Amino acid sequence: MTEAETALRSLPVPEGLVGLRLDAGLARLLGVSRTKAAELADAGHALVDGKEARRSDRLVEGAWLEVSVPAALPAPVEEDVPEIIAGLNVLFSDEHVVVVEKPAEIAVHPSVGWSGPTVVGGLKALGFRIATSGVAERQGVVQRLDVGTSGVMVLAASEHAYTVLKRAFKHREVEKWYEALVQGHPDPSSGTIDAAIGKRPGPGWRFAVTTNGRPSVTHYDTLEAFGQASLVSIRLETGRTHQIRVHFSALRHPCCGDMLYGADPKLAARLGLRRQWLHARKLSFAHPGDGRIMHFESELTEDLARALQTLREPM
């Protein structure tokens, strides 16, 4: 392919492609056949972290993917497919907002490469209307939780609510509390992490504490200490991508189970964790319709509670 006939797509490996072979991932990403995707890989048109990758290589979380594709090749259309989702509990709803408990391993909205269920699709399956404001794939979404993070979150049901809530999140008027199980024992046991976060230098799509990043502030208190880990309560002032995970990793106390940010795989296996131990515990905001303060809380999921019980039991 000549330069005039190609276009470069450069992006972090989407969550929905992690673990797939390169040819399978390219087929899903580009909306082409597996054979065509394999041909692109064999011709050297796919780079992972700047290096040519083989069709059989597995795509890993945090890697940077670059693909040279025909300029006319259409991108696959991502849609919110209505689907009933186990564990997606609606805590409150009215004409303005829908407050839910998000289970782990569910995306909030569709994205390139994600073929699994979404919160928005789950709500549509239950008959809820979500605002149409926002970019196409994020309509009604005013906050996000990582695929591997569970807990309480709010979506806008009306266009007015979307505008009001987006402004409230931007101006830090929404209070968000999380609980995390982090490795080791933070010192001091309570404090504030005030450290800018930006993209980690070099290849890959990971974030880190950087001098030229965006201001990021995390307040924490230790609730319970164990031999190898600590349960901490966290209040976020800002809402950067992976903020809690990055801040505690920078302190060398990564969230248990968070392999992307340096967690100990042996401890994760002992605790039965297949994702980061991180839960959006509480949410408080002014109702966009009448201004009353709304408070919501989400109980720990079974896998997180089981990991805690394992730590509490004598060895």
Side-chain angles (χ1 to χ4, degrees):
M1 292 184 289
T2 67
E3 183 177 353
E5 296 171 331
T6 65
L8 179 66
R9 290 189 184 165
S10 181
L11 71 166
V13 171
E15 291 171 309
L17 302 187
V18 172
L20 294 182
R21 283 171 49 116
L22 176 63
D23 52 2
L26 290 180
R28 185 178 297 180
L29 177 67
L30 302 175
V32 299
S33 69
R34 181 83 168 259
T35 299
K36 181 61 178 177
E39 290 175 357
L40 288 172
D42 292 343
H45 292 296
L47 304 180
V48 177
D49 285 342
K51 299 178 181 179
E52 286 191 13
R54 297 173 299 177
R55 64 165 72 180
S56 60
D57 289 348
R58 297 285 175 177
L59 294 169
V60 298
E61 185 178 13
W64 189 266
L65 179 63
E66 296 176 87
V67 190
S68 299
V69 295
L73 192 66
V77 177
E78 305 296 336
E79 298 179 349
D80 284 305
V81 178
E83 179 180 350
I84 298 295
I85 299 172
L88 179 64
N89 302 318
V90 177
L91 301 179
F92 175 85
S93 68
D94 63 11
E95 70 273 24
H96 290 294
V97 298
V98 182
V99 180
V100 303
E101 286 184 301
K102 181 185 104 55
E105 307 311 323
I106 299 297
V108 173
H109 57 78
S111 61
V112 174
W114 179 260
S115 61
T118 66
V119 171
V120 175
L123 289 176
K124 286 183 178 180
L126 293 173
F128 289 94
R129 177 192 179 277
I130 302 300
T132 58
S133 298
V135 296
E137 72 275 14
R138 298 187 185 183
Q139 291 181 347
V141 176
V142 294
Q143 72 167 128
R144 293 180 65 253
L145 296 178
D146 295 340
V147 167
T149 300
S150 53
V152 62
M153 62 175 297
V154 61
L155 296 94
S158 69
E159 314 314 315
H160 171 72
Y162 181 88
T163 300
V164 172
L165 287 173
K166 287 290 285 186
R167 185 186 305 119
F169 275 100
K170 180 179 180 180
H171 293 290
R172 307 180 187 181
E173 296 168 352
V174 177
E175 295 189 348
K176 300 166 288 183
W177 290 269
Y178 293 74
E179 285 184 9
L181 186 68
V182 302
Q183 293 181 191
H185 307 107
D187 184 15
S189 58
S190 299
T192 295
I193 308 169
D194 186 351
I197 292 176
K199 184 181 177 299
R200 182 177 177 178
W205 187 248
R206 304 180 190 182
F207 294 86
V209 170
T210 61
T211 56
N212 59 349
R214 300 177 69 187
S216 307
V217 180
T218 301
H219 306 282
Y220 71 92
D221 291 290
T222 298
L223 299 177
E224 195 170 356
F226 309 98
Q228 293 179 279
S230 300
L231 178 65
V232 295
S233 175
I234 297 162
R235 181 174 65 83
L236 294 183
E237 273 195 31
T238 52
R240 309 304 179 205
T241 301
H242 297 180
Q243 178 172 323
I244 293 172
R245 301 166 66 186
V246 170
H247 269 171
F248 279 92
S249 177
L251 294 181
R252 301 188 179 181
H253 298 294
C255 294
C256 293
D258 192 357
M259 305 308 173
L260 183 63
Y261 288 104
D264 179 1
K266 292 183 179 179
L267 178 59
R270 180 191 162 212
L271 299 179
L273 291 173
R274 301 180 63 182
R275 55 142 171 155
Q276 66 267 14
W277 202 114
L278 181 60
H279 188 74
R281 189 67 143 153
K282 301 177 185 178
L283 182 68
S284 180
F285 60 90
H287 189 279
D290 56 27
R292 72 186 187 276
I293 303 301
M294 311 284 288
H295 299 283
F296 299 95
E297 185 168 353
S298 172
E299 295 301 317
L300 294 179
T301 57
E302 183 179 350
D303 60 331
L304 303 187
R306 185 170 57 247
L308 273 184
Q309 185 58 36
T310 298
L311 286 173
R312 288 170 178 151
E313 294 174 349
M315 294 286 290

